[in-house]
Amino acid sequence: MSDVTSDTDINELIWAAYRQIFSEHLILETYRQPFLESQLRNRAITVRDFVRGLGKSEVYRELVGETNSNYRLVDITFKRFLGRATYGKDEQISWSIAIATRGLNGFIDAIVDGEEYRQNFGD
């Protein structure tokens, strides 16, 4: 956010987050999260918290969380949030257990608050 100096820059940042988290083909006006956008524009939240909010949104829950097995949800979420596929079945199983015990929101928090996310993306 320190490099964002104009409304155009922040709009580009917001749309980049939507493309990454919701996937290019899912970007529709009805999926937008105006409250999160407003908080980001006013610098009340970080980009990391904006991404977290997209992952915890009803849109992500309905389109990704509820339509996939936990294994597939782990794989999709890793690709969209960390930019990589899972390292194999063992990682999918361990994170699937996290989903079963923490729920989708707890899983999203664990990913976004994790060391890998912080090292690669920061706030």
Side-chain angles (χ1 to χ4, degrees):
M1 282 294 285
S2 59
D3 295 337
V4 174
T5 58
S6 70
D7 286 344
T8 301
D9 290 343
I10 202 151
N11 285 337
E12 288 176 11
L13 189 145
I14 287 168
W15 283 107
Y18 279 126
R19 281 191 306 275
Q20 183 66 33
I21 303 305
F22 289 157
S23 182
E24 190 81 36
H25 67 282
L26 293 178
I27 300 173
L28 299 174
E29 191 68 27
T30 58
Y31 295 156
R32 292 184 66 184
Q33 304 295 306
F35 179 72
L36 286 173
E37 288 183 31
S38 175
Q39 286 185 308
L40 186 63
R41 288 179 200 288
N42 292 320
R43 299 180 191 271
I45 60 172
T46 63
V47 174
R48 182 165 61 115
D49 287 329
F50 181 73
V51 168
R52 177 194 320 271
L54 295 180
K56 289 181 167 186
S57 70
E58 201 57 36
V59 173
Y60 196 78
R61 176 177 302 285
E62 289 175 5
L63 297 177
V64 181
E66 294 175 358
T67 60
N68 291 288
S69 70
N70 282 359
Y71 297 134
R72 180 79 176 122
L73 174 60
V74 169
D75 195 50
I76 290 170
T77 301
F78 268 53
K79 287 176 181 172
R80 293 185 184 178
F81 284 76
L82 298 176
R84 69 168 178 88
T86 54
Y87 292 134
K89 240 355 176 191
D90 289 343
E91 189 173 45
Q92 285 180 337
I93 291 168
S94 66
W95 281 103
S96 292
I97 293 168
I99 294 168
T101 57
R102 300 178 191 175
L104 180 61
N105 286 351
F107 171 59
I108 296 296
D109 283 337
I111 297 296
V112 175
D113 291 336
E115 189 60 30
E116 182 176 357
Y117 186 96
R118 286 180 198 222
Q119 283 182 348
N120 288 310
F121 307 107
D123 275 333

